[in-house]
Amino acid sequence: MDISAIDTLEAIVDGDTIVPGMNFVLPAGVGKTQYFNPSTGQCTPDYTKAANQPTLYPACYSSNLGSFVLPDMNSFMWYLNDPGSASAQILAAPGGAVAAKFATKFQKTTYTVNNKTYPALKIIGNLASAGSLNDAVIYFKGTFNGMEVTCHGDIGVKESVGNLFDILINCVNEDGVNDTVIDNDSEYLVLTASLQDSGATVQASGAWSWLRATAAGLVAVTHTAGVTELSNGNRTLKLYDPAVEGTEEYFASVVHNSVTHRKGIQVSDTHDPFYINIGRSTPSNMVKEGDTVVYRPSVLARSSRAVQTGWSFTFTLRDHNGSTVKTATGTSLTVTGTEVMEKGGLNVHIIATKS
């Protein structure tokens, strides 16, 4: 029996580790990059149009509870580009309304999924312009289970010159709601990939395929009824409970004009009988070059949260393209800030095995 967990270390409390995450709710055909055309002055997608407006919400995972947790709804703050600057605060006060200077760019809202209502932020104004072609980073800072956690989501900003290809993955649960978690209310997830050029969907010239990140590397996904079901010319992957043990990473891949494009997405299952407490030595996943992070994982029973014995652990460090950086086995893993900085961030994939 195998279960897995993934922690993302980004370059830049005893008893629990909160794994920060930011989820995007994306309208059909809209990705996480906005393109600015210098000839026309137009943005693609145009966030001023309601049909194109993405929403972000913090999806922070408690390694001790084995579930996603809600923040304190009265003390959170959203920031644009700098979580340490008062001038970057999107809200006028913690948990309050959007500040006047950001009122044309953002809208405070909520997002309900898996019977939990999260604080959320909708983008209602364009972030790209002739004088602003830097990526926009939206930060959320809040308190989870008594710990302050900062998570962020990136909106890429690019000038649409030539071909700029990217893969967009839309993930919904059985109710058609944007979600990446299988739980007691969702028995499967549907992932649909599309190829975009400067934000506009295009027809790929070659074949689509899906890959699953494993301890042995990226492995091709095949059609298996009730587990991993492929359809729509392999653009769509339907994941059932047996395909997601803990937290997994799947990659959509397509060949277009003899060039291979690949994009990954992490999905989770929070109703398995066992789960991994990753045991990260630092409360934050933000790592500086001189830092050292140690993982001492354990397996817990979801019903009682009691630590289980007889499990062995395999560790795999991957970059954001899914390429393996380092592997190890044992009871702990040490990751240095230098390793994280060299790759601009790492995914730490932990697999627990019991024979």
Side-chain angles (χ1 to χ4, degrees):
M1 179 181 182
D2 290 354
I3 54 176
S4 69
I6 296 176
D7 188 34
T8 299
L9 293 175
E10 299 288 356
I12 145 187
V13 167
D14 291 338
D16 197 5
T17 300
I18 301 296
V19 181
M22 186 79 82
N23 278 359
F24 284 76
V25 182
L26 299 170
V30 173
K32 293 187 286 186
T33 300
Q34 187 172 52
Y35 299 87
F36 178 76
N37 188 321
S39 299
T40 64
Q42 300 297 310
C43 291
T44 304
D46 183 352
Y47 293 152
T48 65
K49 297 181 179 180
N52 296 333
Q53 293 169 351
T55 298
L56 299 83
Y57 68 94
C60 295
Y61 183 84
S62 166
S63 192
N64 188 38
L65 297 176
S67 62
F68 290 87
V69 291
L70 295 173
D72 181 338
M73 298 295 282
N74 298 314
S75 62
F76 65 85
M77 177 58 70
W78 294 93
Y79 299 82
L80 178 62
N81 293 327
D82 185 358
S85 170
S87 64
Q89 293 179 354
I90 294 174
L91 305 183
V98 173
K101 67 178 180 179
F102 288 117
T104 60
K105 298 289 187 182
F106 303 105
Q107 181 183 95
K108 182 187 172 187
T109 184
T110 58
Y111 186 71
T112 300
V113 63
N114 301 325
N115 294 316
K116 293 181 179 179
T117 299
Y118 296 84
L121 190 72
K122 180 179 286 188
I123 302 174
I124 61 172
N126 292 322
L127 302 177
S129 65
S132 179
L133 292 175
N134 295 319
D135 290 352
V137 185
I138 298 173
Y139 291 87
F140 177 92
K141 186 180 291 186
T143 302
F144 296 81
N145 290 349
M147 292 185 293
E148 186 177 89
V149 175
T150 301
C151 52
H152 72 276
D154 295 4
I155 297 290
V157 174
K158 296 182 180 180
E159 190 173 78
S160 56
V161 178
N163 297 118
L164 295 170
F165 293 107
D166 192 19
I167 292 176
L168 170 64
I169 301 177
N170 180 257
C171 184
V172 300
N173 60 25
E174 61 184 283
D175 295 322
V177 176
N178 283 92
D179 191 13
T180 58
V181 180
I182 294 175
D183 66 0
N184 292 330
D185 298 310
S186 300
E187 294 301 321
Y188 60 78
L189 298 171
V190 179
L191 286 62
T192 301
S194 58
L195 182 66
Q196 294 194 327
D197 181 6
S198 298
T201 301
V202 296
Q203 182 70 36
S205 62
W208 284 91
S209 62
W210 287 85
L211 303 161
R212 182 181 186 178
T214 72
L218 296 181
V219 176
V221 175
T222 58
H223 180 89
T224 303
V227 182
T228 52
E229 296 182 354
L230 295 166
S231 60
N232 193 22
N234 286 350
R235 285 181 52 228
T236 298
L237 172 63
K238 192 173 186 179
L239 298 175
Y240 289 87
D241 180 65
V244 184
E245 302 294 343
T247 299
E248 306 266 9
E249 192 165 22
Y250 284 83
F251 289 82
S253 181
V254 67
V255 177
H256 182 64
N257 295 339
S258 301
V259 177
T260 299
H261 302 275
R262 184 184 296 164
K263 188 62 149 309
I265 184 172
Q266 291 183 11
V267 293
S268 302
D269 182 352
T270 61
H271 70 5
D272 281 340
F274 302 102
Y275 65 93
I276 294 174
N277 182 338
I278 63 173
R280 186 184 344 109
S281 62
T282 58
S284 172
N285 70 329
M286 304 298 288
V287 180
K288 298 178 182 179
E289 189 166 10
D291 291 345
T292 298
V293 181
V294 181
Y295 291 86
R296 295 184 178 89
S298 57
V299 173
L300 283 70
R302 193 172 299 278
S303 59
S304 63
R305 296 208 290 274
V307 176
Q308 307 296 294
T309 60
W311 294 80
S312 59
F313 298 95
T314 300
F315 304 90
T316 305
L317 267 63
R318 294 190 179 87
D319 63 21
H320 295 318
N321 292 319
S323 299
T324 299
V325 176
K326 183 171 74 174
T327 61
T329 59
T331 58
S332 65
L333 172 73
T334 298
V335 183
T336 66
T338 300
E339 291 175 303
V340 178
M341 295 292 291
E342 285 178 351
K343 298 296 181 180
L346 289 171
N347 289 329
V348 182
H349 192 172
I350 304 171
I351 295 179
T353 302
K354 189 172 186 178
S355 57

